[in-house]
Amino acid sequence: MKIGELANVAQCTVETVRYYEKEGLLPEPGRTPGNFRVYGPEHLERLRFIRNCRALDMSHEEIHTLLGLADQPADGCGAINAVFDQHIAHVEARIQELSHLKQQLSTLRQQCQTEQAVDACGILQGLAAMETEAKPERHTNLG
Amino acid sequence: MKIGELANVAQCTVETVRYYEKEGLLPEPGRTPGNFRVYGPEHLERLRFIRNCRALDMSHEEIHTLLGLADQPADGCGAINAVFDQHIAHVEARIQELSHLKQQLSTLRQQCQTEQAVDACGILQGLAAMETEAKPERHTNLG
DNA sequence: ACACAACCTGAAGTTACTATAGAGTCAAGA
DNA sequence: TCTTGACTCTATAGTAACTTCAGGTTGTGT
C-alpha cells in the first residue's frame, strides 16, 4: 500500500509517517518506479505499535528503546518492564505536579469572586506576591 | 541592578530574562554607558509576576493577556477571572487525561510480571494489539 | 597590566510534529 | 491524446519556551 492508505488505517497523517521514517522509528520502505513509498503489513504493525506508544505519551526516545529491545527476541523482557515502570512513574509524577498546581490556582481564584477594579483584584495581587516556587526538575516529556 | 542580580533574585537564568524581553513580556530596561541592562524594582516585580504565572504552567500568551489586563487599572477584573478559569479548566482536563493514561499503562504493565523471552512479553503484545485511541484535541500548552 | 567574571548579540538546538512551496506521478474522463 | 485532479515527492520553516553556543566587549580585583 502507499503512504496515504497506511496513514489512514493507522490514524495519522502522511507527514507523520514520513517524519517517523526520518527519525528512524519506521524502516525505509520500498519504492515504486515512480518513487512512491510502498508499505507491507510489517510496516503497518510497526506504525501501530508506535502510535500506541504515542497515545500513551511515550517519547520517541522511549519508543526507540522499546523497539530496539523488541527486535532482539533472544533477550528477556526485563528491560522492557523497566522502561515501562519508568514511564508510569513519569505520568504519576506529572499528575502530582498538576494536582498541586490546581490547588494553588483554586486558592488564588478564590481571592477574587466579584467583578471589581483591577487594582483590587485578589488574583493579580496573589500572582505578584507569591513566592516563586522552584519548578521540580523534569525528566520527562510530559508537559 | 544588572541582569545577573535580577535573574538571581527572581530564580531564573539571565538567558530567560533576555528571552522574556525579546518576547515582549518584560519591558526593555535602561542601559549603562557600557551597554549593560539596568533594572529597577518595577522590572523585578514584573519578572516575579511572570515567573509565578509560569510556575502555574501558564503559557506566554496567557501571561501576555494577563499583563495587558493588569496594565489597564480602569477596567474591571472580570476578564482576568476568565483567563484564570480557563487555565484551571486546562489543568483539570490534563489531569483527567493523565489519569486515564496511567490506568491504561497499569493494565498493560500487569500483562508481564516476570522476566521472560521477549516473544512472550505481554506488554509488547499489548502495545501491538491496542486499538490506537484518537488523542483528544488539546487547547492547552500542558503536555 | 592582566586575568577573569559578567555581560553583549545572534544563531542554532530541543520535541514531535504541522504547514508550506514547488514539482513529479498516475488514473480516469472528454 | 490531453487534461484534470488526487496523490505523492523533497526540502524548508514554523510551533513553545526556553537552553546552549560562538565570538566578542566591559568591568573588577590584584
Side-chain angles (χ1 to χ4, degrees), chain A residues 52 57 85 94 109 127 143, chain B residues 52 57 76 85 94 109 127 143:
Chain A
N52 283 332
D57 259 356
D85 287 342
R94 183 56 175 157
R109 180 61 181 85
L127 279 174
Chain B
N52 283 332
D57 258 356
D85 287 342
R94 183 56 174 157
R109 180 61 180 86
L127 279 175

Side-chain angles (χ1 to χ4, degrees), chain B residues 18-141:
Chain B
R18 285 196 283 251
Y19 176 65
Y20 288 164
E21 179 184 327
K22 198 162 53 179
E23 289 293 284
L25 290 176
L26 210 50
E28 292 187 22
R31 299 279 182 142
T32 66
N35 201 32
F36 285 12
R37 291 172 176 81
V38 208
Y39 297 95
E42 72 281 15
H43 291 99
L44 175 55
E45 193 186 335
R46 187 115 175 180
L47 180 54
R48 276 227 173 90
F49 186 98
I50 297 169
R51 291 307 287 173
N52 283 332
C53 289
R54 290 293 301 137
L56 295 171
D57 258 356
M58 292 185 198
S59 68
H60 281 192
E61 200 186 343
E62 286 172 314
I63 299 173
H64 223 96
T65 303
L66 238 35
L67 285 171
L69 292 168
D71 282 347
Q72 315 214 305
D75 290 14
C77 65
I80 292 168
N81 288 356
V83 170
F84 235 72
D85 287 342
Q86 202 176 36
H87 184 63
I88 292 175
H90 286 166
V91 172
E92 276 172 354
R94 183 56 174 157
I95 292 175
Q96 287 305 312
E97 265 179 49
L98 287 178
S99 300
H100 182 59
L101 283 186
K102 187 186 152 184
Q103 175 57 47
Q104 289 183 78
L105 286 164
S106 301
T107 304
L108 262 179
R109 180 61 180 86
Q110 282 168 21
Q111 307 299 306
C112 179
Q113 298 292 6
T114 62
E115 164 77 34
Q116 49 190 295
V118 158
D119 316 41
C121 177
I123 290 179
L124 289 185
Q125 289 172 6
L127 279 175
M130 250 174 84
E131 264 318 300
T132 307
E133 265 184 71
K135 280 202 160 192
E137 275 197 53
R138 306 280 300 282
H139 306 287
T140 155
N141 61 312

Side-chain angles (χ1 to χ4, degrees), chain A residues 1-4 6-7 12-32 35-40 43 46-47 50-51 54 60 63-64 67:
Chain A
M1 61 183 132
K2 283 184 291 178
I3 198 170
L6 179 73
C12 66
T13 68
V14 300
E15 288 83 9
T16 299
V17 175
R18 285 196 282 252
Y19 176 65
Y20 288 164
E21 179 184 328
K22 198 161 53 177
E23 289 294 283
L25 290 176
L26 211 51
E28 292 187 22
R31 298 279 182 142
T32 66
N35 201 31
F36 286 10
R37 291 172 177 82
V38 207
Y39 297 95
H43 292 99
R46 187 115 174 180
L47 181 53
I50 298 169
R51 291 306 288 171
R54 289 294 301 136
H60 281 191
I63 299 172
H64 221 98
L67 286 171

